[in-house]
Amino acid sequence: MTEGVFGRHSGHEQVVYCHDEASGLKAIIGIYSTALGPALGGTRFYPYATEDDALDDVLALSKGMAYKNALAGLDLGGGKAVIIGDPNTLKSEALLRAYGRFVQSLGGRYVTACDMGTYVHDMDVVARETKFVTGRSPEDGGAGDSSVLTAYGVYQGMRASADHVWGVPELAGRRVGVAGVGKVGHLLVGHLVEAGAQVVISDVFAPALERTRAAYPGVETVSDVDTLIGADLDVFAPCAMGGVLTDETVAALQARIVCGAANNQLAHPGVDKLLADRGILFAPDYLVNAGGVIQVDDERHGFDFARAQRKTTAIFDTTKAVYALAQADGVPPAAAADRLAERRMADVGRLRSILL
């Protein structure tokens, strides 16, 4: 490495490397903040090209979780974990249980859940070694797949964005491009079809496209995300990997709204201004995709789906509040969302200094 962790992301409280040679486990846990409570965030299992790539991802994702949890009104800090490797070939009971023991060793500072490459049944295995895990199966007293409310929350954010741009919180007749139809994107397509939207999809994974076309025969398909970005759309919904919004893709984008489930959609901080300069409304990703963390947080208190869905529905109002602040302060929505999250982390986090 040419640059240390503190040089790249000096705000993090803790970064932990986890290695179990026998099972093949190589993981990194990043804790950005525990100002509001334990750092909750999912475990991503992905074949990163280098360890530096994995570190960059876990640092960015854990920071995003701190802001997401704060903006969602949860008493949680922000953390994330990545397991390096191909989950299709490396994942095993031994590896997941070894990972669970590393999570347990942090004593509750980090609480894990599902993310890309990990599923409910994986969390059931992890839970055999740690009590600091959510997103377990309903049979084990868990909330199940957090993608359900993640997709629902993105849909609520999209409705709020439509209301801001077109004056009505409706998507009927609007042309929406969904990039990535995996766990969350597939469910988002269902909400959009039910709402009467015209949906266009893309995905690098052919079976995901086939599953979505089989479930919703009326959707259109394009060859790749670049084609989707340049298509005649009202809304662009990135729902795969982050970094899709670059200087080049913003210049090619035809949509009036960007609102999707992918984390860290902006390739660099200046992209939000590029979007604003082009008159494109950006729904901050960590604001609208918070339904999943709302769901898994509710599991910690004895899961009740109706209660969790009610909290997720509030993403509509929070999104409207972010847009109102952005207009009042003359800043892009991403900056407004950051200000609201930072204000809550400072104001509520300060209460931790009062000895109980």
Side-chain angles (χ1 to χ4, degrees), residues 175-217:
R175 190 169 168 83
V176 182
V178 180
V181 286
K183 291 192 290 186
V184 176
H186 176 83
L187 294 170
L188 178 60
V189 169
H191 289 300
L192 293 170
V193 169
E194 186 177 358
Q198 302 171 19
V199 182
V200 189
I201 63 173
S202 70
D203 200 297
V204 297
F205 190 50
L209 287 174
E210 294 165 5
R211 180 180 69 142
T212 303
R213 279 199 303 252
Y216 308 105

Side-chain angles (χ1 to χ4, degrees), residues 1-56:
M1 297 182 190
T2 58
E3 188 178 11
V5 172
F6 295 115
R8 280 185 276 183
H9 295 271
S10 59
H12 284 73
E13 289 182 11
Q14 188 174 11
V15 177
V16 179
Y17 283 76
C18 314
H19 182 212
D20 178 58
E21 186 174 0
S23 66
L25 174 71
K26 289 185 178 180
I28 308 173
I29 299 172
I31 296 175
Y32 180 76
S33 170
T34 56
L36 295 178
L40 189 148
T43 299
R44 177 166 293 188
F45 205 140
Y46 187 77
Y48 295 95
T50 68
E51 187 177 292
D52 269 7
D53 290 342
L55 177 61
D56 285 340

Side-chain angles (χ1 to χ4, degrees), residues 40-102:
L40 189 148
T43 299
R44 177 166 293 188
F45 205 140
Y46 187 77
Y48 295 95
T50 68
E51 187 177 292
D52 269 7
D53 290 342
L55 177 61
D56 285 340
D57 207 26
V58 77
L59 291 173
L61 290 168
S62 56
K63 180 177 180 179
M65 287 304 304
Y67 281 68
K68 178 187 298 188
N69 293 338
L71 204 56
L74 303 175
D75 292 330
L76 293 170
K80 204 78 174 186
V82 296
I83 298 176
I84 302 170
D86 184 347
N88 296 313
T89 57
L90 187 62
K91 189 186 295 182
S92 67
E93 178 187 354
L95 180 146
L96 292 171
R97 292 184 70 159
Y99 170 66
R101 293 186 73 82
F102 280 107

Side-chain angles (χ1 to χ4, degrees), residues 9 51 78 96 107 110-111 118 127 143 154 164 181 230 248 287 290 324:
H9 295 271
E51 187 177 292
L96 292 171
Y110 171 64
V111 181
T118 59
V154 172
H164 187 79
V181 286
E248 294 75 23
L287 161 64

Side-chain angles (χ1 to χ4, degrees), residues 17 75 88 93 102 111 158 168 179 236 244 249 255 266 335 348 351:
Y17 283 76
D75 292 330
N88 296 313
E93 178 187 354
F102 280 107
V111 181
M158 200 178 290
V168 288
F236 173 56
V244 68
T249 57
L266 304 177
V348 179
L351 300 177

